[in-house]
CSV table of all heavy atoms in Angstrom, one decimal:
chain,number,residue,atom,x,y,z
A,1,GLY,N,-113.5,-146.7,188.4
A,1,GLY,CA,-112.3,-147.2,187.5
A,1,GLY,C,-111.3,-148.0,188.4
A,1,GLY,O,-111.6,-148.2,189.5
A,2,ASP,N,-110.3,-148.4,187.8
A,2,ASP,CA,-109.2,-149.1,188.5
A,2,ASP,C,-108.3,-148.1,189.1
A,2,ASP,O,-107.1,-147.8,188.5
A,2,ASP,CB,-108.4,-149.9,187.4
A,2,ASP,CG,-107.3,-150.9,188.0
A,2,ASP,OD1,-107.5,-151.0,189.2
A,2,ASP,OD2,-106.4,-151.1,187.3
A,3,TYR,N,-108.7,-147.4,190.2
A,3,TYR,CA,-107.9,-146.3,190.7
A,3,TYR,C,-106.9,-146.8,191.7
A,3,TYR,O,-107.0,-147.9,192.5
A,3,TYR,CB,-108.9,-145.4,191.5
A,3,TYR,CG,-109.8,-144.5,190.6
A,3,TYR,CD1,-111.2,-144.7,190.5
A,3,TYR,CD2,-109.2,-143.4,189.9
A,3,TYR,CE1,-111.9,-144.0,189.6
A,3,TYR,CE2,-109.9,-142.7,189.2
A,3,TYR,CZ,-111.3,-142.9,189.0
A,3,TYR,OH,-112.1,-142.1,188.2
A,4,VAL,N,-105.8,-146.0,191.8
A,4,VAL,CA,-104.8,-146.1,192.9
A,4,VAL,C,-104.9,-144.7,193.6
A,4,VAL,O,-105.3,-143.7,193.1
A,4,VAL,CB,-103.5,-146.5,192.5
A,4,VAL,CG1,-103.4,-147.9,192.0
A,4,VAL,CG2,-102.9,-145.4,191.4
A,5,HIS,N,-104.4,-144.7,194.9
A,5,HIS,CA,-104.6,-143.5,195.8
A,5,HIS,C,-103.2,-143.1,196.2
A,5,HIS,O,-102.3,-144.0,196.6
A,5,HIS,CB,-105.6,-143.8,196.9
A,5,HIS,CG,-105.5,-142.8,198.0
A,5,HIS,ND1,-104.6,-142.9,199.2
A,5,HIS,CD2,-106.0,-141.5,198.1
A,5,HIS,CE1,-104.9,-141.9,199.8
A,5,HIS,NE2,-105.6,-141.0,199.3
A,6,PHE,N,-103.0,-141.7,196.4
A,6,PHE,CA,-102.0,-141.2,197.2
A,6,PHE,C,-102.4,-139.9,197.7
A,6,PHE,O,-103.5,-139.4,197.3
A,6,PHE,CB,-100.6,-141.0,196.4
A,6,PHE,CG,-100.7,-140.0,195.3
A,6,PHE,CD1,-100.1,-138.7,195.4
A,6,PHE,CD2,-101.3,-140.3,194.1
A,6,PHE,CE1,-100.1,-137.8,194.5
A,6,PHE,CE2,-101.3,-139.3,193.0
A,6,PHE,CZ,-100.7,-138.1,193.2
A,7,GLY,N,-101.8,-139.3,198.6
A,7,GLY,CA,-102.3,-138.1,199.3
A,7,GLY,C,-101.3,-137.3,200.0
A,7,GLY,O,-100.1,-137.8,200.1
A,8,GLU,N,-101.7,-136.2,200.6
A,8,GLU,CA,-100.9,-135.4,201.4
A,8,GLU,C,-101.8,-134.5,202.3
A,8,GLU,O,-103.0,-134.6,202.1
A,8,GLU,CB,-99.9,-134.5,200.5
A,8,GLU,CG,-100.7,-133.6,199.6
A,8,GLU,CD,-99.9,-132.8,198.7
A,8,GLU,OE1,-98.6,-132.5,199.0
A,8,GLU,OE2,-100.3,-132.5,197.6
A,9,GLN,N,-101.1,-133.8,203.2
A,9,GLN,CA,-101.9,-132.9,204.0
A,9,GLN,C,-101.4,-131.4,203.9
A,9,GLN,O,-100.1,-131.2,203.8
A,9,GLN,CB,-101.8,-133.3,205.5
A,9,GLN,CG,-102.9,-132.8,206.4
A,9,GLN,CD,-102.9,-133.5,207.7
A,9,GLN,OE1,-102.0,-133.2,208.5
A,9,GLN,NE2,-103.9,-134.3,207.9
A,10,TYR,N,-102.3,-130.4,203.7
A,10,TYR,CA,-101.8,-129.1,203.6
A,10,TYR,C,-102.2,-128.3,204.9
A,10,TYR,O,-103.4,-128.5,205.4
A,10,TYR,CB,-102.6,-128.5,202.4
A,10,TYR,CG,-102.3,-127.0,202.3
A,10,TYR,CD1,-101.0,-126.5,201.9
A,10,TYR,CD2,-103.3,-126.1,202.6
A,10,TYR,CE1,-100.8,-125.1,201.9
A,10,TYR,CE2,-103.1,-124.6,202.4
A,10,TYR,CZ,-101.8,-124.3,202.1
A,10,TYR,OH,-101.5,-122.9,202.0
A,11,GLN,N,-101.3,-127.6,205.6
A,11,GLN,CA,-101.6,-126.8,206.6
A,11,GLN,C,-102.1,-125.5,206.3
A,11,GLN,O,-101.4,-124.5,206.0
A,11,GLN,CB,-100.2,-126.7,207.6
A,11,GLN,CG,-99.8,-128.0,208.0
A,11,GLN,CD,-100.6,-128.8,209.0
A,11,GLN,OE1,-101.3,-128.1,209.8
A,11,GLN,NE2,-100.6,-130.0,208.8
A,12,GLY,N,-103.4,-125.5,206.2
A,12,GLY,CA,-104.1,-124.3,205.7
A,12,GLY,C,-104.6,-123.3,206.7
A,12,GLY,O,-104.3,-123.4,207.9
A,13,GLU,N,-105.4,-122.3,206.3
A,13,GLU,CA,-105.9,-121.3,207.2
A,13,GLU,C,-106.7,-121.9,208.3
A,13,GLU,O,-107.0,-121.3,209.3
A,13,GLU,CB,-106.6,-120.2,206.4
A,13,GLU,CG,-105.7,-119.4,205.7
A,13,GLU,CD,-106.3,-118.0,205.1
A,13,GLU,OE1,-107.4,-117.7,205.7
A,13,GLU,OE2,-105.8,-117.5,204.2
A,14,ALA,N,-107.5,-122.9,208.1
A,14,ALA,CA,-108.4,-123.5,209.0
A,14,ALA,C,-107.9,-124.8,209.6
A,14,ALA,O,-108.7,-125.6,210.2
A,14,ALA,CB,-109.8,-123.8,208.2
A,15,GLY,N,-106.6,-125.1,209.5
A,15,GLY,CA,-106.0,-126.4,210.0
A,15,GLY,C,-105.5,-127.2,209.0
A,15,GLY,O,-105.3,-126.8,207.8
A,16,PRO,N,-105.2,-128.5,209.3
A,16,PRO,CA,-104.7,-129.4,208.3
A,16,PRO,C,-105.9,-129.8,207.4
A,16,PRO,O,-106.9,-130.1,207.8
A,16,PRO,CB,-104.3,-130.6,209.2
A,16,PRO,CG,-105.1,-130.5,210.4
A,16,PRO,CD,-105.3,-129.0,210.8
A,17,LEU,N,-105.6,-129.8,206.1
A,17,LEU,CA,-106.6,-130.2,205.0
A,17,LEU,C,-106.0,-131.5,204.4
A,17,LEU,O,-105.0,-131.5,203.9
A,17,LEU,CB,-106.6,-129.0,204.0
A,17,LEU,CG,-107.5,-129.3,202.7
A,17,LEU,CD1,-109.0,-129.6,203.1
A,17,LEU,CD2,-107.4,-128.3,201.7
A,18,ASP,N,-106.9,-132.4,204.4
A,18,ASP,CA,-106.6,-133.7,203.7
A,18,ASP,C,-106.8,-133.6,202.2
A,18,ASP,O,-107.8,-133.1,201.8
A,18,ASP,CB,-107.5,-134.8,204.2
A,18,ASP,CG,-107.2,-135.2,205.6
A,18,ASP,OD1,-106.0,-135.1,206.1
A,18,ASP,OD2,-108.2,-135.5,206.4
A,19,MET,N,-105.7,-133.9,201.5
A,19,MET,CA,-105.8,-133.8,200.0
A,19,MET,C,-105.5,-135.2,199.5
A,19,MET,O,-104.4,-135.7,199.6
A,19,MET,CB,-104.7,-132.8,199.5
A,19,MET,CG,-105.0,-131.4,200.1
A,19,MET,SD,-103.8,-130.1,199.5
A,19,MET,CE,-104.4,-129.9,197.7
A,20,ASP,N,-106.5,-135.7,198.8
A,20,ASP,CA,-106.4,-137.0,198.3
A,20,ASP,C,-106.5,-137.1,196.8
A,20,ASP,O,-107.2,-136.3,196.2
A,20,ASP,CB,-107.5,-138.0,198.9
A,20,ASP,CG,-107.4,-138.2,200.4
A,20,ASP,OD1,-106.5,-138.8,200.8
A,20,ASP,OD2,-108.2,-137.6,201.1
A,21,TYR,N,-105.7,-138.1,196.2
A,21,TYR,CA,-105.7,-138.0,194.7
A,21,TYR,C,-105.8,-139.5,194.3
A,21,TYR,O,-105.2,-140.5,194.8
A,21,TYR,CB,-104.3,-137.6,194.3
A,21,TYR,CG,-103.7,-136.2,194.8
A,21,TYR,CD1,-102.7,-136.2,195.6
A,21,TYR,CD2,-104.6,-135.1,194.7
A,21,TYR,CE1,-102.3,-135.0,196.2
A,21,TYR,CE2,-104.1,-133.9,195.2
A,21,TYR,CZ,-103.0,-133.9,196.0
A,21,TYR,OH,-102.7,-132.7,196.5
A,22,TYR,N,-106.9,-139.7,193.4
A,22,TYR,CA,-107.2,-141.0,192.9
A,22,TYR,C,-107.0,-140.9,191.3
A,22,TYR,O,-107.6,-140.2,190.6
A,22,TYR,CB,-108.6,-141.3,193.1
A,22,TYR,CG,-108.9,-141.5,194.7
A,22,TYR,CD1,-109.2,-140.5,195.4
A,22,TYR,CD2,-108.8,-142.8,195.1
A,22,TYR,CE1,-109.5,-140.6,196.7
A,22,TYR,CE2,-109.1,-143.0,196.6
A,22,TYR,CZ,-109.4,-142.0,197.3
A,22,TYR,OH,-109.6,-142.1,198.6
A,23,VAL,N,-106.1,-141.8,190.8
A,23,VAL,CA,-105.7,-141.9,189.5
A,23,VAL,C,-105.7,-143.2,188.9
A,23,VAL,O,-105.5,-144.2,189.7
A,23,VAL,CB,-104.3,-141.1,189.2
A,23,VAL,CG1,-104.4,-139.7,189.6
A,23,VAL,CG2,-103.2,-141.9,189.8
A,24,LEU,N,-105.8,-143.4,187.6
A,24,LEU,CA,-105.6,-144.7,187.0
A,24,LEU,C,-104.3,-145.3,187.3
A,24,LEU,O,-103.3,-144.7,187.3
A,24,LEU,CB,-105.8,-144.7,185.5
A,24,LEU,CG,-107.3,-144.3,185.0
A,24,LEU,CD1,-107.5,-144.3,183.5
A,24,LEU,CD2,-108.3,-145.1,185.7
A,25,ARG,N,-104.2,-146.6,187.4
A,25,ARG,CA,-103.1,-147.2,187.9
A,25,ARG,C,-101.8,-146.8,187.1
A,25,ARG,O,-100.7,-146.6,187.6
A,25,ARG,CB,-103.3,-148.8,187.9
A,25,ARG,CG,-102.2,-149.6,188.5
A,25,ARG,CD,-102.6,-151.1,188.5
A,25,ARG,NE,-104.0,-151.3,189.2
A,25,ARG,CZ,-104.0,-151.3,190.6
A,25,ARG,NH1,-102.9,-151.2,191.4
A,25,ARG,NH2,-105.3,-151.5,191.3
A,26,ASP,N,-102.0,-146.8,185.7
A,26,ASP,CA,-100.8,-146.5,184.9
A,26,ASP,C,-100.3,-145.2,185.0
A,26,ASP,O,-99.1,-144.8,184.5
A,26,ASP,CB,-101.2,-147.0,183.4
A,26,ASP,CG,-101.4,-148.4,183.2
A,26,ASP,OD1,-100.9,-149.2,184.1
A,26,ASP,OD2,-101.7,-148.8,182.1
A,27,ASN,N,-101.1,-144.2,185.6
A,27,ASN,CA,-100.6,-142.9,185.5
A,27,ASN,C,-100.2,-142.3,186.9
A,27,ASN,O,-100.1,-141.1,187.1
A,27,ASN,CB,-102.0,-142.0,185.2
A,27,ASN,CG,-102.4,-142.2,183.7
A,27,ASN,OD1,-101.5,-142.6,182.9
A,27,ASN,ND2,-103.7,-142.2,183.5
A,28,LEU,N,-99.9,-143.3,187.8
A,28,LEU,CA,-99.4,-142.9,189.2
A,28,LEU,C,-98.3,-142.0,189.2
A,28,LEU,O,-98.2,-140.9,189.8
A,28,LEU,CB,-99.3,-144.1,190.0
A,28,LEU,CG,-98.9,-143.9,191.5
A,28,LEU,CD1,-99.9,-143.1,192.2
A,28,LEU,CD2,-98.6,-145.1,192.2
A,29,ASP,N,-97.2,-142.3,188.5
A,29,ASP,CA,-96.0,-141.6,188.6
A,29,ASP,C,-96.3,-140.2,187.9
A,29,ASP,O,-95.6,-139.2,188.5
A,29,ASP,CB,-94.8,-142.3,187.6
A,29,ASP,CG,-94.4,-143.6,188.4
A,29,ASP,OD1,-94.7,-143.6,189.7
A,29,ASP,OD2,-93.8,-144.4,187.7
A,30,LYS,N,-96.9,-140.1,186.8
A,30,LYS,CA,-97.2,-138.8,186.1
A,30,LYS,C,-98.0,-137.9,187.2
A,30,LYS,O,-97.7,-136.7,187.3
A,30,LYS,CB,-98.0,-139.0,184.8
A,30,LYS,CG,-97.1,-139.6,183.7
A,30,LYS,CD,-97.8,-139.6,182.4
A,30,LYS,CE,-98.9,-140.7,182.4
A,30,LYS,NZ,-99.5,-140.7,181.1
A,31,ALA,N,-99.0,-138.5,187.8
A,31,ALA,CA,-99.9,-137.8,188.7
A,31,ALA,C,-99.0,-137.2,189.9
A,31,ALA,O,-99.2,-136.1,190.3
A,31,ALA,CB,-101.0,-138.6,189.2
A,32,LYS,N,-98.2,-138.0,190.5
A,32,LYS,CA,-97.4,-137.5,191.6
A,32,LYS,C,-96.4,-136.3,191.3
A,32,LYS,O,-96.3,-135.4,192.1
A,32,LYS,CB,-96.4,-138.6,192.2
A,32,LYS,CG,-97.2,-139.7,192.9
A,32,LYS,CD,-96.2,-140.8,193.4
A,32,LYS,CE,-97.0,-141.8,194.2
A,32,LYS,NZ,-96.1,-142.9,194.8
A,33,LYS,N,-96.1,-136.2,190.0
A,33,LYS,CA,-95.4,-134.9,189.7
A,33,LYS,C,-96.4,-133.8,189.2
A,33,LYS,O,-96.2,-132.6,189.7
A,33,LYS,CB,-94.6,-135.3,188.3
A,33,LYS,CG,-93.8,-134.1,187.7
A,33,LYS,CD,-93.0,-134.5,186.5
A,33,LYS,CE,-92.4,-133.4,186.0
A,33,LYS,NZ,-91.5,-133.7,184.7
A,34,GLN,N,-97.5,-134.0,188.4
A,34,GLN,CA,-98.3,-133.0,187.9
A,34,GLN,C,-99.2,-132.4,189.1
A,34,GLN,O,-99.5,-131.3,189.1
A,34,GLN,CB,-99.1,-133.6,186.9
A,34,GLN,CG,-100.0,-132.5,186.1
A,34,GLN,CD,-99.1,-131.6,185.3
A,34,GLN,OE1,-97.9,-131.9,185.0
A,34,GLN,NE2,-99.5,-130.4,184.8
A,35,PHE,N,-99.6,-133.4,190.0
A,35,PHE,CA,-100.6,-132.8,191.0
A,35,PHE,C,-99.9,-132.0,192.1
A,35,PHE,O,-100.6,-131.6,193.1
A,35,PHE,CB,-101.3,-134.0,191.6
A,35,PHE,CG,-102.3,-134.6,190.8
A,35,PHE,CD1,-102.6,-134.2,189.4
A,35,PHE,CD2,-103.2,-135.6,191.2
A,35,PHE,CE1,-103.5,-134.7,188.6
A,35,PHE,CE2,-104.2,-136.1,190.5
A,35,PHE,CZ,-104.3,-135.7,189.1
A,36,LYS,N,-98.7,-131.6,191.9
A,36,LYS,CA,-98.0,-130.7,192.8
A,36,LYS,C,-98.7,-129.3,192.7
A,36,LYS,O,-98.6,-128.5,193.6
A,36,LYS,CB,-96.5,-130.6,192.5
A,36,LYS,CG,-95.7,-131.8,193.0
A,36,LYS,CD,-94.3,-131.7,192.6
A,36,LYS,CE,-93.4,-133.0,193.1
A,36,LYS,NZ,-92.0,-132.8,192.8
A,37,ASP,N,-99.4,-129.0,191.5
A,37,ASP,CA,-100.0,-127.8,191.5
A,37,ASP,C,-101.2,-127.8,192.4
A,37,ASP,O,-101.7,-126.6,192.6
A,37,ASP,CB,-100.5,-127.6,189.9
A,37,ASP,CG,-99.7,-126.7,189.2
A,37,ASP,OD1,-98.7,-126.1,189.7
A,37,ASP,OD2,-100.0,-126.5,188.0
A,38,ALA,N,-101.6,-128.9,192.9
A,38,ALA,CA,-102.9,-128.8,193.7
A,38,ALA,C,-102.7,-128.1,195.1
A,38,ALA,O,-103.5,-127.2,195.4
A,38,ALA,CB,-103.4,-130.3,194.0
A,39,LYS,N,-101.6,-128.3,195.6
A,39,LYS,CA,-101.4,-127.7,197.0
A,39,LYS,C,-101.0,-126.2,196.7
A,39,LYS,O,-101.4,-125.4,197.5
A,39,LYS,CB,-100.2,-128.4,197.7
A,39,LYS,CG,-99.8,-127.8,199.0
A,39,LYS,CD,-98.6,-128.4,199.7
A,39,LYS,CE,-98.9,-129.8,200.3
A,39,LYS,NZ,-97.7,-130.2,201.1
A,40,ARG,N,-100.3,-126.0,195.6
A,40,ARG,CA,-100.0,-124.6,195.2
A,40,ARG,C,-101.3,-123.8,195.0
A,40,ARG,O,-101.4,-122.6,195.2
A,40,ARG,CB,-99.1,-124.6,194.1
A,40,ARG,CG,-97.6,-124.8,194.4
A,40,ARG,CD,-96.9,-125.5,193.2
A,40,ARG,NE,-97.1,-125.0,191.8
A,40,ARG,CZ,-96.5,-124.0,191.3
A,40,ARG,NH1,-95.6,-123.3,191.9
A,40,ARG,NH2,-96.8,-123.6,190.2
A,41,THR,N,-102.3,-124.4,194.4
A,41,THR,CA,-103.6,-123.8,194.1
A,41,THR,C,-104.2,-123.5,195.4
A,41,THR,O,-104.8,-122.4,195.5
A,41,THR,CB,-104.4,-124.8,193.2
A,41,THR,OG1,-103.7,-125.1,192.0
A,41,THR,CG2,-105.8,-124.2,193.0
A,42,ILE,N,-104.3,-124.4,196.3
A,42,ILE,CA,-105.0,-124.2,197.6
A,42,ILE,C,-104.4,-123.0,198.3
A,42,ILE,O,-105.0,-122.2,198.9
A,42,ILE,CB,-105.0,-125.4,198.5
A,42,ILE,CG1,-105.8,-126.5,197.8
A,42,ILE,CG2,-105.7,-125.1,199.8
A,42,ILE,CD1,-107.2,-126.3,197.5
C-alpha cells in the first residue's frame, strides 16, 4: 500500500526492542495516538 512509517524503541527484558508502525498516509495522526497501546501490550 501507500504506507508511511513511524516507530519507537522499547527497553524490554531482552534489551532494546525496535517497534515499527506502517499505516496508510491519511491515518498517520490517528495511528500515533492509537498505537500507544502497542508498547503497553509488550
Side-chain angles (χ1 to χ4, degrees):
D2 181 27
Y3 286 112
V4 293
H5 166 264
F6 68 102
E8 60 186 332
Q9 204 173 68
Y10 175 69
Q11 297 300 319
E13 288 193 17
L17 173 63
D18 293 325
M19 302 183 67
D20 294 288
Y21 311 117
Y22 293 88
V23 300
L24 294 183
R25 191 172 302 276
D26 289 353
N27 294 331
L28 180 60
D29 290 339
K30 288 187 288 187
K32 286 184 175 180
K33 178 181 178 182
Q34 191 68 14
F35 284 8
K36 290 179 181 179
D37 258 0
K39 183 184 283 190
R40 284 152 36 91
T41 298
I42 299 298

